[in-house]
Every structure is written in structure tokens, then in C-alpha cells.
């Protein structure tokens, strides 16, 4: 059992090793996308948890978002989740606190990323500080927001390797799926691992690239060793 009181994990040695190899490519600047696929309850989240324990967080940035079963009608739900976690924004934070956390989070990044702050603020539904944004054409605003989010991702990855985890991709909303499709080409040249979990039957709308990886979890025999070595 882990320090979190989790039960012993069914052995996934090969799958864990696959994720570690994939991450090494990303750590060395050859960005990767990894899909962890398996039925409900088979251990996708536990595998990701163990992978995170192995990789650590000292020299790696982890940003996480989760899709939820009733979230298909909530635009950008997991992407907003990722951004809030990145800026350490809590549900109880008021607008001044959110603005301060965004400002502090961008402080160490380059000027181009800092210039995109109004779009990030608007994306999080606080005052963008720029009246022109509200009057923008919807498609132009969406493009500018996607660019701001992408620049932020690449800026973080320039400082140290970045893992972006999106869980339960089979419940993703169309707007979030559109954003992931938008950034996927930028992943290849950065220290980024985009790690997604989903159930069989869902087909990601991200296309196909040479740096896409699928790690499928199969049911294990009843006598399989239930712990990692």
C-alpha cells in the first residue's frame, strides 16, 4: 500500500516501463502524446499515479484536468481545470486573488507569454483588463485564446519538462477536443508529454502522428502478482 492508503496495485510492469520510455523522449525535447486505454476500473488512474511517483515532481511540471460524465456541455472544462491547477487557483479564490495568481504565474515567463495575459484572464472568466477582447469576433478571440494557452504550455516546457494529464477523455467536451487538436503539432518539438486516459470505444479526434503512443490495459490473470517490483 502507498502512503495514500491505496491497495496494492495489480502488476503493470510492462505498461509502466512503456510510459517511462515515452516520457524520456519528451524529457529530451521530442514531445509525445500517450493514450492509456482500458475499461472502467481496470487501473488507468492507478497506473498514472505510479508513473507519477516514478517520474517525480522535483524537476517536472504536472498539470492535470479531468473530464466528467455530465461535462460534455461545459466548454473547456478540463482545460480550465489544467489552467487553474497551473496557477494554483482554488475554488474559494475571489477575483483579486485569481488575478494576482495569474500575474505571479506568468512573472517568470517571457514577454510574449505575459502579453497574452488578458486572454488567459478572460478564459478564466475574470476581468481581462482589456476592453477590446470583449468586442472581438468570436472566432478571432478563440484563436487568440488558443495561441495564448499554447504559448503558456511551451513556455512552461522551456523551463522544465511538462506532463499535461487529461483523464477520462471519452467524456471530453467538443471545445476542449478542438483545443487539444490545435496544440498537438506543437507538442512534437517541446519537452511535453500529453497524457490522456480513456475507455475503449472512444476515438480521439487528434488525428495520428508518429509520436502518438497507445498503452492498452488488458485484464490480468487472477494469479498475477499484485504489486510493482
Amino acid at each position: 500500500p502507498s502512503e495514500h492508503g491505496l491497495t496494492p496495485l495489480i502488476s503493470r510492469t510492462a505498461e509502466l516501463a512503456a510510459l517511462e520510455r515515452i516520457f524520456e523522449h519528451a524529457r529530451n525535447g521530442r514531445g509525445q502524446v500517450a493514450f492509456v486505454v482500458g475499461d472502467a476500473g481496470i487501473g488507468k488512474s492507478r497506473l498514472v499515479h505510479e508513473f507519477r511517483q516514478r517520474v517525480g515532481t522535483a524537476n517536472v511540471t504536472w498539470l492535470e484536468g479531468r473530464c466528467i460524465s455530465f461535462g460534455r456541455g461545459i466548454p473547456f472544462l478540463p482545460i480550465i481545470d489544467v489552467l487553474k491547477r497551473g496557477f494554483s487557483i482554488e475554488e474559494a479564490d475571489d477575483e483579486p486573488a485569481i488575478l494576482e495568481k495569474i500575474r505571479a504565474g506568468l512573472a517568470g515567463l517571457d514577454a510574449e507569454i505575459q502579453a497574452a495575459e488578458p486572454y488567459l484572464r478572460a478564459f478564466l472568466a475574470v476581468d481581462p483588463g482589456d476592453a477590446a477582447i470583449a468586442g472581438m469576433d468570436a472566432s478571432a478571440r478563440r484563436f487568440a485564446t488558443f495561441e495564448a494557452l499554447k504559448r503558456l504550455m511551451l513556455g512552461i516546457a522551456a523551463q522544465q519538462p511538462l506532463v499535461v494529464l487529461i483523464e477520462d477523455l471519452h467524456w471530453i467536451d467538443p471545445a476542449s477536443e478542438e483545443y487539444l487538436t490545435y496544440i498537438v503539432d506543437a507538442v512534437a518539438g517541446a519537452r511535453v508529454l500529453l497524457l490522456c486516459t480513456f475507455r475503449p470505444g472512444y476515438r480521439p479526434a487528434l488525428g495520428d502522428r508518429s509520436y502518438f503512443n497507445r498503452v492498452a490495459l488488458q485484464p490480468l490473470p487472477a494469479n498475477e502478482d499484485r504489486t510493482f517490483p
Side-chain angles (χ1 to χ4, degrees), residues 62-66 80-89:
W62 281 78
L63 298 178
E64 303 175 31
R66 180 182 292 275
I80 290 171
D81 198 12
V82 166
L83 198 59
K84 284 183 174 179
R85 288 171 186 257
F87 289 128
S88 301
I89 293 170

Side-chain angles (χ1 to χ4, degrees), residues 94-101 103:
D94 59 12
E95 184 161 309
I98 293 171
L99 293 175
E100 179 54 37
K101 286 183 175 182
R103 195 169 299 116

Side-chain angles (χ1 to χ4, degrees), residues 15 58 60 67 73 80 83-84 91-92 96 98 102 124 131 136 154 159 170 185 188 194 211 225 229:
E15 293 90 342
V60 180
C67 307
I80 290 171
L83 198 59
K84 284 183 174 179
E91 287 302 316
I98 293 171
I102 294 172
L124 292 176
M136 288 179 69
L154 296 178
Q159 294 185 329
H170 48 277
D185 286 329
L194 174 60
Y211 49 93
D225 172 29

Side-chain angles (χ1 to χ4, degrees), residues 72-83:
R72 289 193 183 97
I74 307 174
F76 300 114
L77 180 66
I79 311 305
I80 290 171
D81 198 12
V82 166
L83 198 59

